[in-house]
Amino acid sequence: LTVNVDYEIKYQDSDIVSFVITKSESLASAYTEQYFYNIDTENGKELNLKDVLGENYKEIVDNEVEEQIETRKKESEDNMYFTKEEGGFSGIENEYHDFYINEDKKAVVVFQKYEIAPGYMGIQEFEIPDNVIV
């Protein structure tokens, strides 16, 4: 068994640091997990989607992810996503959904491999066009 742990800083300024920790395990096959942290260093608080997108975070994220899924499906027949009946995207559950802040100060919502699409689609990321409120 081989375990690799790595991190990547996605965004950093004087008030915020956003990073992802990736853990990969391989024996006969590979398994990867990602952990996302968005820290308000000024207040020592971990930020959630409500903190960065405001009260309407769920509506904003749900609409944007649905639109981007439809766009991606139209771009290529290889872009497949599970239907709601198959356990696909039906909205985020709460403000603690996985995300990071990118260098453009946009929230990027992340779905793990197999979460909303077949495994060959890999990890799915959706940039939310609204500016992060910080």
Side-chain angles (χ1 to χ4, degrees):
L1 175 68
T2 303
V3 178
N4 291 316
V5 178
D6 198 5
Y7 74 95
E8 180 183 358
I9 294 177
K10 297 290 193 173
Y11 178 81
Q12 184 174 11
D13 66 16
S14 60
D15 299 325
I16 295 175
V17 63
S18 180
F19 62 97
V20 60
I21 295 174
T22 303
K23 178 181 86 170
S24 300
E25 296 180 19
S26 57
L27 188 54
S29 63
Y31 177 70
T32 301
E33 287 180 283
Q34 291 186 312
Y35 305 91
F36 298 86
Y37 299 94
N38 303 282
I39 311 294
D40 176 343
T41 55
E42 186 177 0
N43 299 312
K45 176 185 180 212
E46 188 168 354
L47 299 170
N48 61 44
L49 284 168
K50 186 176 180 181
D51 295 327
V52 299
L53 294 174
E55 289 293 324
N56 296 328
Y57 73 91
K58 183 170 174 27
E59 179 183 340
I60 291 167
V61 170
D62 289 353
N63 289 339
E64 192 59 41
V65 170
E66 286 176 5
E67 283 181 27
Q68 289 186 37
I69 286 173
E70 288 308 311
T71 299
R72 291 175 189 185
K73 288 185 344 191
K74 290 176 186 165
E75 288 173 352
S76 171
E77 62 185 36
D78 293 334
N79 291 341
M80 302 263 312
Y81 291 86
F82 299 136
T83 65
K84 289 179 184 178
E85 296 75 31
E86 296 170 327
F89 182 73
S90 60
I92 59 171
E93 290 185 21
N94 57 47
E95 67 266 32
Y96 300 105
H97 190 90
D98 288 342
F99 79 100
Y100 64 87
I101 299 167
N102 68 13
E103 60 215 15
D104 296 326
K105 288 187 94 172
K106 308 281 188 193
V108 178
V109 176
V110 181
F111 294 88
Q112 299 296 334
K113 186 174 178 181
Y114 300 107
E115 194 172 353
I116 63 169
Y120 74 87
M121 292 285 290
I123 293 168
Q124 294 293 296
E125 297 186 355
F126 299 87
E127 181 181 270
I128 307 304
D130 299 44
N131 284 326
V132 171
I133 302 168
V134 287

